[in-house]
Amino acid sequence: MTTASPPAADRRRWLALAVVMTASFMDLVDVTIVNIAMPSIQRDIDASFSVLQWLSEGYALAFAIGLITGGRLGDIYGRKKMFLLGMGGFTLASMLCGVVSDPQLLVAARVLQGLMAAVMVPQVLSIIHVTFPAHERGKVFGMFGAVVGLGAVSGPLLGALLTQWNLFGLEWRPIFLINLPVGMAGLILGRRFIIESKAPKAMRLDLVGVALASAGLLMLLYPLTQGREHDWPLWGFVAMALSVPVFVAFVAYERHKTRKDGSPLVELSLFKVKSFSAGIGVQLTFGVATGIFFLVWTLYMQIGLGWTALRSGLTGIPFSLAVSTAAGMSVQKLVPRFGRKVLQAGALVMATGVLLYIWEADRYGADIKSWQMALPLVVMGAGMGLIVAPITDSVLSEVPREHAGSASGLINTTQQLGNAIGLGLVSVAFFGVVDDADPRRRALADIFGDAFTHAMWWVAGGMAVVFALLFLLPKRSHHERPEEPEDEAVPAGEQEKELAAR
């Protein structure tokens, strides 16, 4: 039997929800807002193309590496404490991004921003879990999904507006500085209204696992991103080759750690579940494809076609609206009826949109208009929406309940890792074509148009791989497993005392 919460507690927990959802919104917007401002950043601080890549790559890589560790820190030291630490660090890093003028310092600030997001974001769902009773979580997660959709729509448009307005002559800097008042308000309200909680059986932090995973990823991705600028030196290929034994050492150590104290960074037993392994492959490949698309799309419109940030942002609205609409339909109406077929349809629809875009870019060339891009963008967005909303539930459907938390964190990490790999591959898929072209014989718009269509074939190939891997997921998700044990939280009476004392 559920005990009704006193009115004061009820108000406070909804305010706590508003704070954590605002944090999620900040993160989602920051992932997409930078792409639209890249040409302005390039002009203002004379940034190279590799620096532009690292503005997204550094954030995505730091976020991917830190996600599992960030979630584990919340389990050990408290979700509220880590959430506030992450939000404070994210706000500070945003300020640094907004004031530095050196390209390398800007990349370093973005890496710090990604690390702080990795501490902040994993706490959000855990805080919701312990703040709201089971019968209210459906409504709360529905609101959370709406915020995700709003973040997807708002990021590019907000970035375009802030860049176009050139507030106080600051050019692109307001896209980062806008986080300061939001972050400070979140810190004040979060400290007051969020209730502290910890996992009932918090494991130890696997520092060796973190070090090995980080080293392997950096050895793979740094040469991939920087190699083009240095004419693909030998050290880059050596570093990428040596990343393989580092990953092998990581797996071996995780097995040792499991036997030793049962607290590895990655729960390797999850990969014995066929649907989970396939789902990790789906998330990785999908992340690679979207990582390539979003960066080259912005460079194509703003540098190749010479469009303003605002025009580029407005061009993307049909895509964002299609993603949000299809995501809502897939979860509420389509997946309960058709199961896995919805995700497979999403992969085919998105691939169709990519092929339409390639055809239009080839046909219209530099004369292509925003309205002509609307059809392929709507088709691509609809396909993406059919995948992104139900994929996590499908991947987790056969995972044992006791490992659901670890598996969920690994899924999110894999998607971010795929995004980082995709951003690294832009050097090959896009800039390789740009470098091989002769700007004295061809217009910049034509060169960037060819590079865009070449990169889009990579995206289409990625969606074909996603479609094939989806056959390994269960035809329908299962929800019959028993509820997991609740996490440790301050008892209700103690919550009221804590809140009253503030």
Side-chain angles (χ1 to χ4, degrees), residues 70-71 74-75 79 82-83 119-128:
D75 292 340
R79 280 71 176 264
M82 289 299 107
F83 175 83
V119 175
M120 174 178 69
V121 172
Q123 319 309 330
V124 171
L125 293 181
S126 297
I127 289 172
I128 291 174

Side-chain angles (χ1 to χ4, degrees), residues 216-279:
L217 290 170
L218 284 173
M219 291 168 69
L220 173 65
L221 293 174
Y222 184 80
L224 196 60
T225 305
Q226 293 292 116
R228 181 189 66 88
E229 199 160 270
H230 296 286
D231 198 24
W232 300 106
L234 178 62
W235 64 260
F237 293 101
V238 171
M240 287 189 282
L242 289 177
S243 69
V244 176
V246 173
F247 286 129
V248 171
F250 170 74
V251 172
Y253 182 79
E254 292 302 281
R255 287 175 176 165
H256 164 73
K257 186 73 171 172
T258 302
R259 292 191 299 268
K260 181 181 177 183
D261 57 18
S263 57
L265 183 66
V266 173
E267 185 63 55
L268 295 177
S269 64
L270 290 169
F271 290 93
K272 295 178 181 178
V273 181
K274 183 182 73 170
S275 60
F276 179 79
S277 297

Side-chain angles (χ1 to χ4, degrees), residues 12 61 104 124 126 158 198 222 232 338 402 451 479 495:
R12 285 179 169 91
L61 184 58
Q104 281 69 39
V124 171
S126 297
L158 185 60
K198 297 180 182 179
Y222 184 80
W232 300 106
F338 300 107
E402 62 270 21
H479 303 280
Q495 291 179 11

